Amino acid sequence: MHTLFKLLLLLPVALVADVKVAVSYPYIASITKEIGGDEVETIVLAKGSWDPHFVVPRPSLIAKVRAADAIIINGGQLEIGWLPPLIKRAGNAKTVSGASTYLDLSKYIEFLERPNRLDRADGDIHPQGNPHFHLDPKNVLKLSEVIKDFLINIDIQNKIEYEKNHQNFTKKLKEKMQEWDAKMADKKGLKVIQFHNNLAYFNHAYHLINIATIEPLPGIPPSSKHTIRLIKLIHEQKPYAILHDVYHSKKTAEFISSKTAIPIIEMPHDVEAKDGIVDIFTLFDYLTDAMR
Ligand SMILES: [Zn+2]
């Protein structure tokens, strides 16, 4: 056989990954790629620069869910407004809750801000507690183990590969965690304000104290009454900065900053939320740099 023809026959086999895993957010893709290596292809549904609560369920996303062999979601109701209808319309048995190929990461995490009551008086979009748990590196460590076990369960053939990748990932992550801890050491005890409490777990990890949010409740837009209260609070408590996400308007934060002289620091919540943030490592590199 002609050499070139032989090569063409071999190529598709070498390039096609064993398992196609749909994931809701880029941070999940990053961890899954680290563990899955060449054996796994990740299909990301939401962009890192979007509000994770409010993704538009476009038809192209339905096709992505339909093509998947498995799905990994954040859970904790973060995707409640957009992912269940996509999964329903995709009609793919492998991506239905309860399937062995469906993984809900929130099941393995201890939540912060879990409400004591079941009404929605604390806001509409965090009814089970704060779902932004990937912004504590310790949780990333836990999630990498959960994803490793999940991949082994659905693709036992590549068990050794997944275990080896997981070992390498955790080694690197633990080293980086020491570096981030060192960078954040002198920030311990500082007070901060946020627009939305995306950074609850980051603040918990590095001992920052969130004293207020610009939105009065999770998912509720700023009001002038609340903004005036915030300005008073800032004068009294002198927080370090307003930590702001990339996707809400900074108009109210800029107004508050102009009245109080506290700075606004942009703190991306996910991988790919800003240029240069290409994986879970560069996300925490960015966040810990931004705080300096
Ligand atoms: Zn939220």
Side-chain angles (χ1 to χ4, degrees):
M1 213 190 304
H2 192 275
T3 320
L4 184 67
F5 185 61
K6 260 198 280 188
L7 192 69
L8 283 174
L9 270 181
L10 285 172
L11 261 179
V13 182
L15 290 180
V16 172
D18 288 1
V19 198
K20 269 191 204 168
V21 182
V23 303
S24 46
Y25 302 110
Y27 90 83
I28 306 175
S30 172
I31 306 170
T32 306
K33 277 182 211 160
E34 293 280 351
I35 312 302
D38 297 335
E39 319 303 336
V40 171
E41 180 191 339
T42 56
I43 309 165
V44 192
L45 301 176
K47 284 216 166 102
S49 55
W50 292 350
D51 183 338
H53 295 282
F54 301 107
V55 173
V56 180
R58 296 186 179 131
S60 62
L61 299 184
I62 299 169
K64 285 181 173 182
V65 174
R66 196 168 286 150
D69 299 314
I71 191 163
I72 307 178
I73 73 159
N74 184 91
Q77 302 219 12
L78 186 54
E79 298 101 335
I80 198 78
W82 62 275
L83 191 54
L86 276 184
I87 290 175
K88 202 170 170 208
R89 288 184 61 194
N92 178 356
K94 291 173 181 169
T95 59
V96 173
S97 168
S100 61
T101 43
Y102 178 102
L103 175 62
D104 176 343
L105 297 174
S106 69
K107 301 268 187 277
Y108 302 87
I109 296 290
E110 213 167 297
F111 267 49
L112 296 176
E113 299 166 10
R114 212 180 260 289
N116 297 321
R117 13 169 224 192
L118 288 172
D119 66 44
R120 297 197 164 205
D122 293 328
D124 268 331
I125 59 173
H126 289 175
Q128 294 183 352
N130 191 305
H132 307 291
F133 47 74
H134 69 286
L135 291 175
D136 179 344
K138 281 193 216 78
N139 286 343
V140 173
L141 204 56
K142 173 71 194 168
L143 296 178
S144 74
E145 192 194 338
V146 171
I147 291 172
K148 182 255 297 170
D149 291 343
F150 177 70
L151 291 178
I152 290 172
N153 194 38
I154 62 175
D155 179 32
I156 189 78
Q157 285 183 70
N158 291 308
K159 182 174 189 273
I160 292 166
E161 189 73 18
Y162 298 143
E163 281 172 343
K164 192 187 80 198
N165 292 344
H166 176 249
Q167 244 173 24
N168 293 340
F169 177 73
T170 51
K171 185 173 177 278
K172 184 176 171 189
L173 184 61
K174 283 176 182 168
E175 283 165 13
K176 290 296 285 185
M177 281 165 74
Q178 287 186 352
E179 187 187 316
W180 299 325
D181 280 346
K183 275 162 82 179
M184 293 297 292
D186 65 340
K187 301 292 177 288
K188 195 173 174 175
L190 286 182
K191 292 172 180 171
V192 294
I193 304 256
Q194 290 179 84
F195 187 98
H196 177 76
N197 201 356
N198 275 319
L199 296 164
Y201 295 80
F202 182 86
N203 292 341
H204 179 76
Y206 298 109
H207 312 283
L208 304 172
I209 304 155
N210 187 70
I211 58 167
T213 52
I214 293 175
E215 54 177 17
L217 290 168
I220 309 295
S223 68
S224 46
K225 199 173 137 196
H226 182 67
T227 302
I228 290 162
R229 265 206 307 263
L230 277 183
I231 292 170
K232 191 166 170 275
L233 183 78
I234 292 169
H235 283 308
E236 285 163 10
Q237 302 217 15
K238 315 235 174 319
Y240 180 66
I242 300 171
L243 307 182
H244 210 292
D245 60 73
V246 301
Y247 55 84
H248 281 112
S249 158
K250 293 190 181 65
K251 220 178 87 189
T252 309
E254 279 159 3
F255 176 74
I256 294 170
S257 176
S258 75
K259 298 285 171 198
T260 57
I262 70 162
I264 301 169
I265 300 176
E266 199 174 50
M267 297 286 272
H269 69 289
D270 202 348
V271 171
E272 289 170 14
K274 282 185 87 68
D275 288 349
I277 303 180
V278 295
D279 57 18
I280 204 82
F281 297 111
T282 40
L283 175 61
F284 284 98
D285 283 344
Y286 188 99
L287 293 172
T288 50
D289 277 346
M291 286 297 296
R292 299 175 104 177

